[in-house]
Amino acid sequence: MSELFGPTNAVFHDPALFTAEQRLLRSSWTCVGTTFDLPAPDTRFVHEDAQRSLIVARDGAGTLRAFVNACTHRGTRLCQGRGAGRMQCPYHGWVFGTDGRLLGASKRAGFKTLEEAELGLKPAAAVQLGKLIFVHDDPRQTEADLRAFLGAEAEQIAAISERAQRPLLECRMPLRGNWKLAVSGAIEDYHVAFVHKQTLQKGRSSRPEDYVLRPNGHAVFSTAAPLGWKKPLLRWLGGIEPLEQFESHFVFPNLLVIQIVGVIHVTRFVPVAPGESLRVSQLYDISPRRGWWNPLEWLRWAIMPLARHGLHKVFREDREVLEEAQVGTGVAPDQLRGPAHMEEARVEHFLAEVARQVNVAPRPLPTANDA
Ligand code: FES
Ligand SMILES: [Fe+2]
């Protein structure tokens, strides 16, 4: 058996491997956002990664749905970004509803036959877990399949995401680096004291027992984060009970769900091309919205630009080293990947799962309907 995923740096550059990884991603569940992205019935957004474009929507009745973003007339991409209500194809003007039905074709009398009922958008599976939205290319997949894939992670990430009360900020950052390098940089703590020495304080090194490696490539880093004297202050400022457990859940293949103090942080690393990816970070406040007259709300409003600035700085630091890693692995593609530090345990686990899945012929996941 030829090994697409070998032990050298070539795995961050090889176009054939990238194609195989896209099959892997498409036969897996992908988190595409949160329920805050679909705030009302009849709203929608487009999720795109290397080889697909999906419309994720709440239809008029509020049901979550996903469709291939291609008009059923000549296949034109129907829409981009976020929107609400019906979608009109930019080519000949066919109109579709957020439930995927074809609502009307222009100059209809000119068609010999046209069966609207058969020309709806091609569906994909869409499932809400906690406040996270997952999609799967195979429309027969169900919530039971998603839960089976996530295992113990299902309950935990659902519970964490349920704590999110309102969006704080969203950052979409294009990266000139392979998606596996981008994921790796976000799930290891070995670089933190060095790369983020100005921006993040890290009191102590992680311990092996802080890491739990789970089946299917998922992995958790969890550690107590006592707040000490800051706790009553945060309680007063936020009007909530601050979280004293830092938890970072990596959900294979490209999702990271983190809870830290008063914030829930959902990050996805979207593959674009072998040497390109996109970081999408969404942050949520765990404190509910207060009235505009509340001074704490004003204080929060004043602090927010500082928080945003600090966070972007951390993201830029990560981007800088990621892009250097992309360049370096490109000039030394035959070099073996070096040994892994204990704090890189999740990276090893992640890369081993990608290797396992692409080195065997990728198969679609079994569906509950097959049982
Ligand atoms: S391609 Fe969409 S209406 Fe013709
Ligand atoms: Fe980092």
Side-chain angles (χ1 to χ4, degrees):
M1 180 179 61
S2 70
E3 285 222 324
L4 263 176
F5 196 109
T8 67
N9 289 335
V11 298
F12 303 117
H13 300 268
D14 179 5
L17 172 63
F18 185 76
T19 303
E21 287 168 350
Q22 297 320 296
R23 285 199 295 272
L24 174 165
L25 269 115
R26 297 180 67 162
S27 62
S28 185
W29 285 89
T30 307
C31 178
V32 291
T34 69
T35 52
F36 296 98
D37 295 314
L38 295 174
D42 237 5
T43 53
R44 54 184 155 79
F45 66 86
V46 170
H47 165 81
E48 295 193 323
D49 49 44
Q51 288 174 351
R52 69 178 163 178
S53 181
L54 293 172
I55 298 164
V56 185
R58 265 194 205 293
D59 65 19
T63 306
L64 184 63
R65 293 174 179 274
F67 306 101
V68 175
N69 188 8
C71 175
T72 49
H73 179 224
R74 290 289 167 263
T76 306
R77 181 164 66 175
L78 258 191
C79 48
Q80 299 181 51
R82 293 169 193 273
R86 41 186 58 187
M87 299 161 276
Q88 184 159 38
C89 178
Y91 199 168
H92 309 97
W94 283 21
V95 176
F96 297 85
T98 43
D99 57 1
R101 278 187 307 136
L102 172 62
L103 301 178
S106 45
K107 295 189 171 180
R108 194 184 182 294
F111 289 98
K112 273 200 205 104
T113 57
L114 192 135
E115 298 291 341
E116 272 91 345
E118 286 166 18
L119 289 165
L121 297 174
K122 183 170 181 275
V127 169
Q128 179 180 335
L129 184 77
K131 286 182 176 156
L132 301 169
I133 297 172
F134 287 84
V135 298
H136 195 293
D137 275 15
D138 180 350
R140 296 169 304 161
Q141 290 273 316
T142 64
E143 182 177 342
D145 296 312
L146 172 63
R147 286 181 177 272
F149 166 69
L150 294 172
E153 281 301 308
E155 286 312 318
Q156 297 194 355
I157 60 170
I160 291 176
S161 69
E162 284 290 7
R163 294 195 182 109
Q165 294 299 314
R166 51 173 161 162
L168 275 176
L169 61 95
E170 176 170 316
C171 171
R172 299 175 77 86
M173 185 179 269
L175 307 167
R176 278 173 307 193
N178 182 270
W179 72 282
K180 298 188 296 302
L181 281 176
V183 167
S184 301
I187 59 174
E188 55 101 333
D189 304 285
Y190 188 38
H191 77 283
V192 174
F194 187 65
V195 171
H196 305 301
K197 53 185 175 290
Q198 313 286 345
T199 43
L200 296 177
Q201 296 148 3
K202 195 153 179 278
R204 59 175 175 75
S205 290
S206 321
R207 301 159 307 169
E209 57 269 35
D210 295 334
Y211 296 92
V212 179
L213 307 179
R214 293 196 161 136
N216 294 341
H218 313 312
V220 187
F221 171 65
S222 172
T223 187
L227 292 163
W229 63 269
K230 291 180 219 148
K231 190 172 179 180
L233 182 70
L234 288 164
R235 199 184 271 148
W236 175 75
L237 271 178
I240 41 100
E241 198 55 33
L243 306 165
E244 290 192 287
Q245 185 74 16
F246 173 84
E247 287 197 32
S248 164
H249 293 255
F250 173 62
V251 179
F252 187 86
N254 64 343
L255 169 68
L256 194 61
V257 181
I258 294 174
Q259 82 165 30
I260 178 170
V261 192
V263 169
I264 305 300
H265 186 175
V266 179
T267 299
R268 296 172 279 128
F269 294 95
V270 182
V272 176
E276 276 176 59
S277 47
L278 174 72
R279 174 185 191 138
V280 184
S281 276
Q282 296 171 302
L283 264 85
Y284 301 93
D285 197 334
I286 65 168
S287 65
R289 192 176 299 280
R290 292 164 287 240
W292 63 266
W293 59 86
N294 189 317
L296 292 179
E297 201 66 11
W298 286 85
L299 186 63
R300 181 183 177 279
W301 181 75
I303 291 172
M304 198 50 67
L306 287 174
R308 187 172 291 133
H309 177 76
L311 200 71
H312 282 171
K313 196 150 185 257
V314 174
F315 292 168
R316 282 199 301 273
E317 289 168 349
D318 280 328
R319 181 178 62 188
E320 223 163 90
V321 286
L322 158 78
E323 295 184 348
E324 291 308 313
Q326 185 69 22
V327 173
T329 53
V331 296
D334 300 329
Q335 187 172 300
L336 292 172
R337 292 191 300 280
H341 186 271
M342 178 272 292
E343 291 181 322
E344 296 175 291
R346 290 193 293 175
V347 176
E348 287 298 285
H349 188 57
F350 158 64
L351 293 178
E353 182 64 15
V354 178
R356 190 183 72 77
Q357 292 204 23
V358 296
N359 284 343
V360 299
R363 280 168 296 145
L365 293 172
T367 70
N369 302 339
D370 294 342

